[in-house]
Protein backbone atom coordinates (compact mmCIF):
# COMPACT_ATOMS: atom_id res chain seq x y z
CA UNK A 1 0.00 0.00 0.00
CA UNK A 2 1.48 3.31 -1.11
CA UNK A 3 0.46 6.48 0.72
CA UNK A 4 0.21 9.58 -1.48
CA UNK A 5 -0.11 13.17 -0.31
CA UNK A 6 -0.51 16.42 -2.28
CA UNK A 7 3.24 16.96 -1.81
CA UNK A 8 3.95 13.66 -3.55
CA UNK A 9 1.56 14.50 -6.39
CA UNK A 10 3.32 17.82 -6.92
CA UNK A 11 6.60 15.91 -7.01
CA UNK A 12 5.12 13.64 -9.68
CA UNK A 13 4.25 16.67 -11.80
CA UNK A 14 7.85 17.89 -11.48
CA UNK A 15 9.49 14.53 -12.24
CA UNK A 16 7.91 11.04 -12.54
CA UNK A 17 11.23 9.37 -11.74
CA UNK A 18 11.78 11.30 -8.49
CA UNK A 19 8.19 10.53 -7.52
CA UNK A 20 8.52 6.81 -8.25
CA UNK A 21 11.81 6.48 -6.35
CA UNK A 22 10.47 8.43 -3.38
CA UNK A 23 7.28 6.40 -3.02
CA UNK A 24 8.46 2.90 -3.90
CA UNK A 25 12.05 2.93 -2.61
CA UNK A 26 12.14 5.83 -0.14
CA UNK A 27 14.90 7.49 -2.18
CA UNK A 28 14.22 11.19 -1.74
CA UNK A 29 15.68 14.34 -3.18
CA UNK A 30 18.41 16.01 -1.10
CA UNK A 31 16.98 18.62 1.24
CA UNK A 32 18.50 21.74 2.68
CA UNK A 33 17.95 23.22 6.12
CA UNK A 34 14.43 24.52 6.72
CA UNK A 35 14.12 27.75 8.65
CA UNK A 36 12.63 26.96 12.08
CA UNK A 37 10.68 30.24 12.07
CA UNK A 38 8.27 28.68 9.54
CA UNK A 39 7.31 25.94 12.02
CA UNK A 40 6.99 28.49 14.81
CA UNK A 41 4.71 30.70 12.71
CA UNK A 42 2.56 27.69 11.85
CA UNK A 43 2.19 26.83 15.54
CA UNK A 44 1.30 30.44 16.49
CA UNK A 45 -1.31 30.71 13.72
CA UNK A 46 -2.99 27.41 14.59
CA UNK A 47 -3.13 28.25 18.31
CA UNK A 48 -4.63 31.62 17.38
CA UNK A 49 -7.35 29.95 15.31
CA UNK A 50 -8.10 27.38 18.02
CA UNK A 51 -8.58 30.20 20.53
CA UNK A 52 -11.32 31.74 18.41
CA UNK A 53 -12.86 28.38 17.57
CA UNK A 54 -13.63 27.95 21.28
CA UNK A 55 -15.30 31.38 21.19
CA UNK A 56 -17.25 30.34 18.08
CA UNK A 57 -15.86 33.35 16.22
CA UNK A 58 -13.75 34.01 13.16
CA UNK A 59 -10.29 35.30 14.12
CA UNK A 60 -10.17 39.11 13.67
CA UNK A 61 -7.35 38.82 11.12
CA UNK A 62 -9.72 37.14 8.62
CA UNK A 63 -13.04 38.73 9.58
CA UNK A 64 -14.74 40.21 6.53
CA UNK A 65 -12.35 38.39 4.20
CA UNK A 66 -13.96 34.93 4.07
CA UNK A 67 -17.41 33.41 4.20
CA UNK A 68 -18.52 30.95 6.83
CA UNK A 69 -17.26 29.99 10.26
CA UNK A 70 -14.53 27.77 11.68
CA UNK A 71 -15.66 24.16 11.35
CA UNK A 72 -15.67 21.83 14.31
CA UNK A 73 -15.30 18.06 14.72
CA UNK A 74 -13.53 17.50 11.37
CA UNK A 75 -10.52 15.11 11.52
CA UNK A 76 -7.07 16.69 11.28
CA UNK A 77 -6.16 14.24 8.53
CA UNK A 78 -8.29 12.84 5.72
CA UNK A 79 -7.73 9.44 4.11
CA UNK A 80 -9.23 7.64 1.16
CA UNK A 81 -8.34 4.15 -0.05
CA UNK A 82 -8.25 4.66 -3.81
CA UNK A 83 -7.24 1.06 -4.53
CA UNK A 84 -5.63 -1.92 -2.82
CA UNK A 85 -2.26 -0.36 -3.66
CA UNK A 86 -2.93 3.34 -3.12
CA UNK A 87 -4.07 5.39 -0.15
CA UNK A 88 -4.60 9.15 -0.52
CA UNK A 89 -3.96 11.32 2.53
CA UNK A 90 -4.21 15.05 3.20
CA UNK A 91 -3.85 17.26 6.27
CA UNK A 92 -5.55 20.64 5.79
CA UNK A 93 -4.56 23.35 8.25
CA UNK A 94 -8.15 24.37 8.82
CA UNK A 95 -11.73 23.99 7.59
CA UNK A 96 -14.50 26.52 7.12
CA UNK A 97 -18.20 25.73 7.23
CA UNK A 98 -20.23 27.88 4.85
CA UNK A 99 -23.73 29.13 5.63
CA UNK A 100 -25.04 26.46 3.25
CA UNK A 101 -23.38 23.76 5.41
CA UNK A 102 -20.58 22.93 2.97
CA UNK A 103 -17.12 22.23 4.39
CA UNK A 104 -14.15 23.72 2.54
CA UNK A 105 -10.37 23.60 3.16
CA UNK A 106 -8.52 26.62 4.46
CA UNK A 107 -4.70 26.60 4.49
CA UNK A 108 -2.11 28.90 6.05
CA UNK A 109 0.92 30.14 4.06
CA UNK A 110 3.71 32.52 5.06
CA UNK A 111 5.47 34.82 2.60
CA UNK A 112 7.76 37.81 2.61
CA UNK A 113 5.18 39.97 0.81
CA UNK A 114 1.60 40.02 -0.40
CA UNK A 115 1.11 37.43 -3.20
CA UNK A 116 -0.54 38.17 -6.53
CA UNK A 117 -1.91 34.66 -7.11
CA UNK A 118 -1.83 31.13 -5.76
CA UNK A 119 1.14 28.96 -6.68
CA UNK A 120 0.17 25.98 -8.92
CA UNK A 121 1.37 23.52 -6.26
CA UNK A 122 -1.09 25.03 -3.78
CA UNK A 123 -3.93 24.59 -6.27
CA UNK A 124 -3.06 20.87 -6.51
CA UNK A 125 -3.09 20.76 -2.71
CA UNK A 126 -6.54 22.33 -2.48
CA UNK A 127 -7.90 20.09 -5.26
CA UNK A 128 -6.83 17.01 -3.30
CA UNK A 129 -8.29 18.32 -0.03
CA UNK A 130 -11.68 18.91 -1.69
CA UNK A 131 -11.47 15.47 -3.30
CA UNK A 132 -10.80 13.88 0.11
CA UNK A 133 -13.68 15.75 1.70
CA UNK A 134 -16.02 14.45 -0.99
CA UNK A 135 -14.70 10.89 -0.77
CA UNK A 136 -15.26 10.99 3.00
CA UNK A 137 -18.89 12.00 2.44
CA UNK A 138 -18.60 15.62 3.55
CA UNK A 139 -20.77 18.16 1.80
CA UNK A 140 -18.23 20.34 -0.02
CA UNK A 141 -17.95 22.62 -3.03
CA UNK A 142 -15.39 23.78 -5.58
CA UNK A 143 -13.67 26.49 -3.55
CA UNK A 144 -10.92 26.70 -0.95
CA UNK A 145 -9.15 29.54 0.80
CA UNK A 146 -5.44 30.25 1.11
CA UNK A 147 -4.45 32.68 3.87
CA UNK A 148 -1.09 34.34 3.25
CA UNK A 149 0.61 35.94 6.26
CA UNK A 150 3.39 38.43 5.60
CA UNK A 151 5.21 41.17 7.56
CA UNK A 152 4.85 44.89 6.92
CA UNK A 153 7.36 47.60 7.81
CA UNK A 154 6.91 48.52 11.46
CA UNK A 155 8.72 49.68 14.58
CA UNK A 156 9.89 46.35 15.95
CA UNK A 157 9.79 47.57 19.56
CA UNK A 158 6.01 47.93 19.12
CA UNK A 159 5.70 44.40 17.73
CA UNK A 160 5.89 42.96 14.23
CA UNK A 161 2.98 43.99 12.00
CA UNK A 162 1.59 40.87 10.28
CA UNK A 163 -0.92 41.25 7.46
CA UNK A 164 -3.14 38.55 5.99
CA UNK A 165 -4.31 38.27 2.39
CA UNK A 166 -6.94 35.71 1.43
CA UNK A 167 -6.94 34.13 -2.02
CA UNK A 168 -9.95 32.07 -3.06
CA UNK A 169 -9.00 29.01 -5.09
CA UNK A 170 -11.38 27.43 -7.58
CA UNK A 171 -10.89 23.72 -7.01
CA UNK A 172 -11.64 20.86 -9.37
CA UNK A 173 -12.26 17.35 -8.09
CA UNK A 174 -12.03 15.85 -11.59
CA UNK A 175 -8.57 17.42 -11.94
CA UNK A 176 -7.59 15.75 -8.66
CA UNK A 177 -8.97 12.42 -9.88
CA UNK A 178 -6.83 12.60 -13.03
CA UNK A 179 -3.68 13.26 -10.99
CA UNK A 180 -4.41 10.28 -8.76
CA UNK A 181 -5.04 8.05 -11.79
CA UNK A 182 -1.72 9.21 -13.24
CA UNK A 183 0.06 8.41 -9.97
CA UNK A 184 -1.52 4.96 -9.83
CA UNK A 185 -0.37 4.20 -13.39
CA UNK A 186 3.21 5.31 -12.69
CA UNK A 187 3.44 3.31 -9.46
CA UNK A 188 2.15 0.17 -11.15
CA UNK A 189 5.16 0.09 -13.49
CA UNK A 190 7.88 -2.49 -12.95
CA UNK A 191 10.59 -0.19 -14.25
CA UNK A 192 11.65 3.23 -13.03
CA UNK A 193 10.13 5.97 -15.26
CA UNK A 194 12.24 8.31 -17.31
CA UNK A 195 13.11 11.57 -15.55
CA UNK A 196 11.72 14.94 -16.46
CA UNK A 197 13.93 16.80 -18.92
CA UNK A 198 14.13 19.71 -16.49
CA UNK A 199 14.87 17.72 -13.32
CA UNK A 200 18.16 19.00 -11.94
CA UNK A 201 18.12 16.30 -9.24
CA UNK A 202 18.10 13.45 -11.76
CA UNK A 203 20.81 15.22 -13.74
CA UNK A 204 22.90 15.47 -10.57
CA UNK A 205 22.26 11.81 -9.69
CA UNK A 206 23.60 10.56 -13.03
CA UNK A 207 27.11 10.87 -11.69
CA UNK A 208 26.43 8.67 -8.65
CA UNK A 209 27.04 4.90 -9.10
CA UNK A 210 23.95 2.80 -8.47
CA UNK A 211 21.43 5.54 -9.20
Amino acid sequence: MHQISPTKLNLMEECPRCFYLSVTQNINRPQGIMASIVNKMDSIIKNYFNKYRKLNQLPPIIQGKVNGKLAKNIPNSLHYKYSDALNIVGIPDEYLELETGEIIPFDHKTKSKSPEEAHPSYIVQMDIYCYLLKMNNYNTTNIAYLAYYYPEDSDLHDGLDIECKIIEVKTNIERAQKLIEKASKILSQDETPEPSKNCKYCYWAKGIPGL
Side-chain angles (χ1 to χ4, degrees):
M1 173 70 72
H2 300 305
Q3 185 160 285
I4 303 298
S5 66
T7 300
K8 294 295 186 185
L9 290 171
N10 273 309
L11 176 61
M12 177 186 71
E13 290 296 87
E14 292 179 22
C15 178
R17 185 174 188 270
C18 285
F19 167 73
Y20 183 89
L21 291 174
S22 176
V23 175
T24 64
Q25 300 182 39
N26 199 31
I27 298 176
N28 297 304
R29 288 174 168 181
Q31 292 184 336
I33 298 173
M34 183 177 180
S36 59
I37 192 173
V38 175
N39 291 330
K40 184 61 177 178
M41 281 292 296
D42 184 67
S43 176
I44 290 172
I45 293 167
K46 288 180 179 176
N47 288 337
Y48 172 74
F49 269 68
N50 285 332
K51 171 186 174 181
Y52 284 93
R53 190 192 324 279
K54 293 176 183 178
L55 299 173
N56 201 30
Q57 299 175 13
L58 282 179
I61 200 168
I62 64 169
Q63 285 181 9
K65 300 178 181 179
V66 300
N67 297 316
K69 61 182 180 180
L70 298 182
K72 296 181 179 180
N73 303 319
I74 309 293
N76 289 334
S77 61
L78 298 170
H79 299 260
Y80 176 66
K81 185 179 178 182
Y82 176 78
S83 68
D84 289 339
L86 199 59
N87 188 52
I88 314 301
V89 61
I91 309 177
D93 289 327
E94 188 60 73
Y95 306 94
L96 292 181
E97 182 178 347
L98 303 182
E99 292 181 358
T100 53
E102 292 151 325
I103 304 297
I104 63 171
F106 182 100
D107 241 44
H108 307 303
K109 308 296 180 186
T110 53
K111 284 186 69 69
S112 61
K113 61 181 181 180
S114 177
E116 296 297 324
E117 58 185 6
H119 191 277
S121 64
Y122 295 157
I123 296 175
V124 168
Q125 188 180 18
M126 297 300 104
D127 280 351
I128 297 300
Y129 290 164
C130 285
Y131 171 87
L132 287 169
L133 282 168
K134 181 178 180 181
M135 293 300 105
N136 281 273
N137 298 316
Y138 288 100
N139 185 20
T140 189
T141 187
N142 62 335
I143 64 169
Y145 286 119
L146 294 172
Y148 288 90
Y149 305 89
Y150 57 93
E152 288 283 23
D153 290 336
S154 55
D155 291 325
L156 291 180
H157 61 272
D158 287 331
L160 189 62
D161 184 11
I162 298 293
E163 296 292 329
C164 177
K165 179 176 181 178
I166 302 293
I167 292 183
E168 182 179 302
V169 175
K170 298 297 184 183
T171 59
N172 188 315
I173 290 176
E174 291 182 359
R175 190 165 56 204
Q177 177 78 23
K178 288 179 180 179
L179 275 180
I180 294 168
E181 290 173 356
K182 180 179 177 181
S184 178
K185 184 176 180 179
I186 290 174
L187 294 174
S188 67
Q189 297 177 193
D190 293 328
E191 297 182 358
T192 304
E194 290 296 316
S196 167
K197 294 180 180 179
N198 299 320
C199 183
K200 59 183 179 180
Y201 295 91
C202 288
Y203 179 79
W204 167 80
K206 284 182 179 179
I208 301 177
L211 291 180

